[in-house]
Amino acid sequence: MITPPLAKQPADWWKNEIIYEIYCRSFQDSNGDGIGDLQGIISRLDYLQELGVTALWIAPVYRSPMVDMGYDIAAYQQIDPVYGTMADMDELLEQAQARGIKIIMDMVLNHTSDQHPWFQAALQDPTSKYRDYYVFQHPANGQVPNNWRATFGGSTWEPVPNEPGTYYFHTFATEQPDLNWENPALRQELYRIINWWLDKGVAGFRLDAITQLKKDQDWASLPPDDDDGLVNVERKGLNRPGLGQFLAELKAATFSKYNAVTIGEAYGVPLEQLEEFVGPGGYFSMIFDFSYLNIDVQDANEWFKKNQWEVSDLAQTMFMSQQEIKKARGYFANVIENHDQNRAVSKFIRTEDHDNPAAAKALAALYFFLAGIPVIYQGQELGMTNFERSDLQEFNDLSSINNYQRALANGYRPNEALKIINFRSRDNARVPMPWDQTKFGGFSTVTPWLAPAANNVVRNVAQQRNDPASVWSFYQKLIRLRQDSHWEALWLEGEVVPVRTGEDEMIVYQRRLKQQTVQIMINLSGKVQPLRQVVVGQLELDSLATNGKPAAEIRDLQPYQVLIVTID
């Protein structure tokens, strides 16, 4: 067991971290089975250190049947054999700590796998204490308790084998039964597990689906919102009254005792509740800002319901969130990609020439200097783009298959439904990491578990790592600028001042603190765009040049150009 790294750190140690998310299954295969593993991560720690990241958020590696790729946990205190052993996890913690890199685990507290021993015991013995670890109902009429629709489609209720008229509840897949947070004994067991990991030396947790722990206890049906006669479960199970009591108790019993960092996947939190969640004394260190991440869809779970949006919508949404998080005196975890999203360059750059390094750099700078903590998803530092699959059988992602079926049910033709999921599939982010130009991209010596994105063959680490003009090198420069002690207070405490909010596809903002002002200028178009007035200052970074000039008079921005300038 390594020494927990946070005991002597200040309470807000996490504010200056650069976090990198690793989807272990697709990062690096070390043993030739086509699946990434913990030893694979260990072998790439020097790479991550060279890039400049200081903390790794590891997607779930617990024992799991992998129905939802590890977010269906069958054993909280075991590593799935496909990823390695607990000894491998201990080695990862030690090797990362030796390089000044912290490990953040992904924790799922809303549900388990149906293969978890607790749930198996609950099925086998209705009188077992584990029956109350989950949500079971036995309506007098024997019918499904209500008309709530699960996130992955269909009813939230599944019949219990050999118990006619009895059902168990699941917000997500049938194989992911929800835990009963109304049960104090269940909560204490979860706290024990979390503290066990913190004692082991992890720096904290990314908390999956954390605003879905509380369900309305009336279990009442609502008017349907679609032709299937069902209603979105989030209406009765997302950020519901009473959730705060659970979250406050969770923090007091675990995280606050260890000075741990917590990142909440907190869908459904309105702006007026930000202070409650992440302000001084809030439930979490930070939560993700999803306001602009899902700007292209009306519902993050129904991809066929598209939004028509402009760059001005992106800018205004982003800056409104920044204004509200300042009022809340809290922090966002800022992202443009993660394991649940498609690739940012394909989503946010809508012109035909979007597939280029300049566009990837523009998006990097857009979010990297906002108030909050930047999070990079694996492959993002290479400017990876979406794939294109020709058949539904090529998809692994559960939500992609569900969205395909939902699109067909809503009148889309098969080719249209396939186009929708090709664009939005979570598999876009889950393809193997391309390390070099060999047959399997340096990820594995055998055919990977998920087919690579063919158009990323020319976009790999070996190609970019020593190229000063690459997307990878630009990310390295952003990280260095973000962690430069000269600017530390500005990035952590400085005001975000919008200057240009999407007009002519230009986004310009300043960070200001006392006598320091830095202006970040981004052109998200494929055209030369003039500035409203000449900007004079010291050029800190130019995305189209490897060496910046010491002073600058800027009149326009080239296509997809980023300029970061210190203004006296």
Side-chain angles (χ1 to χ4, degrees):
M1 182 180 297
I2 70 168
T3 302
L6 310 176
K8 297 181 180 179
Q9 294 268 21
D12 59 353
W13 61 266
W14 43 265
K15 291 181 182 178
N16 201 36
E17 299 295 310
I18 306 293
I19 301 172
Y20 186 99
E21 183 190 356
I22 289 179
Y23 195 74
C24 184
R25 194 175 187 86
S26 296
F27 192 62
Q28 179 67 67
D29 172 20
S30 74
N31 61 359
D33 64 357
I35 299 173
D37 46 50
L38 293 176
Q39 284 295 329
I41 297 176
I42 292 169
S43 73
R44 296 295 186 178
L45 286 174
D46 288 343
Y47 164 83
L48 296 163
Q49 184 180 28
E50 182 184 353
L51 181 60
V53 300
T54 61
L56 304 181
W57 152 27
I58 311 291
V61 290
Y62 316 97
R63 186 164 65 81
S64 168
M66 303 294 168
V67 171
D68 192 23
M69 304 316 294
Y71 286 91
D72 49 324
I73 298 174
Y76 283 102
Q77 292 170 271
Q78 296 178 25
I79 300 299
D80 195 277
V82 77
Y83 297 132
T85 65
M86 191 59 72
D88 294 326
M89 174 56 72
D90 291 338
E91 183 181 351
L92 174 59
L93 288 164
E94 292 173 2
Q95 293 290 336
Q97 188 178 70
R99 292 167 175 81
I101 297 175
K102 303 173 183 70
I103 299 297
I104 299 169
M105 296 289 282
D106 208 324
M107 179 57 70
V108 186
L109 299 175
N110 179 72
H111 52 267
T112 70
S113 164
D114 62 355
Q115 300 304 304
H116 195 289
W118 297 345
F119 191 70
Q120 289 297 304
L123 290 180
Q124 292 165 12
D125 182 2
T127 65
S128 164
K129 71 173 185 177
Y130 295 109
R131 181 61 67 116
D132 200 34
Y133 273 34
Y134 297 88
V135 179
F136 288 85
Q137 287 204 8
H138 190 93
N141 62 7
Q143 300 299 308
V144 174
N146 58 43
N147 70 336
W148 300 358
R149 182 192 306 110
T151 297
F152 292 151
S155 172
T156 57
W157 298 96
E158 181 70 9
V160 175
N162 304 315
E163 288 188 47
T166 302
Y167 301 83
Y168 72 83
F169 178 80
H170 58 94
T171 293
F172 295 95
T174 302
E175 299 87 349
Q176 294 171 292
D178 279 39
L179 292 163
N180 178 21
W181 269 73
E182 305 295 330
N183 179 2
L186 174 275
R187 299 201 303 270
Q188 292 301 317
E189 182 66 14
L190 292 175
Y191 303 158
R192 182 194 64 78
I193 290 166
I194 290 170
N195 291 337
W196 182 85
W197 279 104
L198 290 168
D199 283 334
K200 185 175 279 289
V202 303
F205 296 92
R206 179 263 187 187
L207 296 154
D208 182 72
I210 199 64
T211 45
Q212 293 173 296
L213 306 183
K214 178 73 176 181
K215 286 81 178 175
D216 287 358
Q217 295 300 294
D218 62 5
W219 304 103
S221 292
L222 293 175
D225 60 14
D226 210 337
D227 293 339
D228 60 4
L230 304 177
V231 64
N232 191 330
V233 64
E234 293 180 357
R235 293 279 303 278
K236 300 287 277 183
L238 180 67
N239 194 23
R240 302 305 295 165
L243 173 67
Q245 295 175 356
F246 291 158
L247 298 182
E249 180 183 276
L250 168 64
K251 176 184 176 182
T254 58
F255 314 128
S256 62
K257 295 180 178 180
Y258 291 82
N259 202 15
V261 64
T262 51
I263 312 169
E265 186 195 30
Y267 275 107
V269 175
L271 295 174
E272 58 268 21
Q273 271 192 288
L274 283 175
E275 185 169 1
E276 178 184 345
F277 277 77
V278 294
Y283 308 131
F284 308 115
S285 308
M286 61 189 105
I287 62 173
F288 295 107
D289 181 8
F290 294 120
S291 65
Y292 57 86
L293 202 59
N294 294 312
I295 196 170
D296 60 313
V297 290
Q298 297 176 30
D299 187 318
N301 297 313
E302 296 182 321
W303 304 338
F304 53 89
K305 295 181 179 180
K306 296 183 178 180
N307 266 340
Q308 298 300 318
W309 63 277
E310 304 294 336
V311 172
S312 58
D313 299 314
L314 174 62
Q316 290 164 17
T317 301
M318 186 176 286
F319 291 137
M320 179 182 68
S321 288
Q322 288 285 296
Q323 181 181 26
E324 293 301 321
I325 199 70
K326 181 185 177 183
K327 290 180 184 177
R329 299 173 294 161
Y331 292 86
F332 279 136
N334 294 320
V335 295
I336 55 170
E337 288 187 5
N338 64 30
H339 65 281
D340 282 335
Q341 295 286 328
N342 52 348
R343 291 294 182 176
V345 178
S346 299
K347 176 167 38 181
F348 293 118
I349 305 296
R350 300 174 299 164
T351 54
E352 291 183 0
D353 63 342
H354 72 272
D355 188 3
N356 66 72
K361 294 177 187 179
L363 291 174
L366 174 63
Y367 90 104
F368 217 77
F369 296 101
L370 296 173
I373 293 81
V375 182
I376 302 168
Y377 180 72
Q378 67 184 47
Q380 180 183 321
E381 74 272 27
L382 305 175
M384 289 180 69
T385 57
N386 280 358
F387 57 45
E388 186 171 353
R389 310 295 203 203
S390 59
D391 190 279
L392 184 64
Q393 301 303 315
E394 298 178 64
F395 290 84
N396 173 273
D397 172 33
L398 198 63
S399 64
S400 296
I401 297 167
N402 170 58
N403 268 278
Y404 180 86
Q405 300 298 339
R406 292 292 308 281
L408 293 181
N410 278 268
Y412 290 87
R413 293 189 294 271
N415 64 319
E416 294 172 328
L418 187 65
K419 184 177 180 181
I420 289 169
I421 65 170
N422 258 314
F423 180 73
R424 251 292 180 164
S425 176
R426 301 189 299 182
D427 283 345
N428 279 302
R430 299 178 181 188
V431 295
M433 181 78 170
W435 295 100
D436 57 38
Q437 291 180 298
T438 58
K439 184 177 181 180
F440 301 119
F443 165 73
S444 181
T445 57
V446 300
T447 302
W449 73 278
L450 183 66
N455 62 342
N456 284 316
V457 171
V458 296
R459 197 174 284 100
N460 60 72
V461 172
Q463 180 193 53
Q464 294 195 26
R465 199 171 182 179
N466 297 313
D467 178 1
S470 69
V471 178
W472 190 92
S473 293
F474 188 70
Y475 267 92
Q476 188 182 55
K477 292 170 185 174
L478 291 180
I479 292 170
R480 288 173 178 170
L481 189 58
R482 183 68 169 69
Q483 293 220 303
D484 189 324
S485 59
H486 178 72
W487 307 109
E488 181 176 344
L490 175 70
W491 304 135
L492 294 183
E493 304 168 23
E495 186 179 6
V496 176
V497 182
V499 175
R500 197 157 173 174
T501 56
E503 303 88 341
D504 299 320
E505 298 184 278
M506 291 271 288
I507 299 180
V508 179
Y509 64 97
Q510 294 182 347
R511 295 300 307 273
R512 297 179 186 170
L513 181 67
K514 299 178 181 178
Q515 303 304 312
Q516 288 183 322
T517 299
V518 174
Q519 182 156 304
I520 298 98
M521 297 175 279
I522 304 110
N523 182 2
L524 287 179
S525 79
K527 302 176 181 178
V528 177
Q529 297 288 3
L531 297 172
R532 289 171 177 163
Q533 61 185 40
V534 176
V535 175
V536 178
Q538 180 173 316
L539 185 61
E540 303 294 341
L541 194 57
D542 179 352
S543 65
L544 300 184
T546 55
N547 294 305
K549 299 177 181 178
E553 290 188 3
I554 304 164
R555 291 176 169 79
D556 56 43
L557 264 65
Q558 298 300 306
Y560 304 113
Q561 186 176 24
V562 172
L563 293 175
I564 300 177
V565 179
T566 305
I567 298 176
D568 295 330

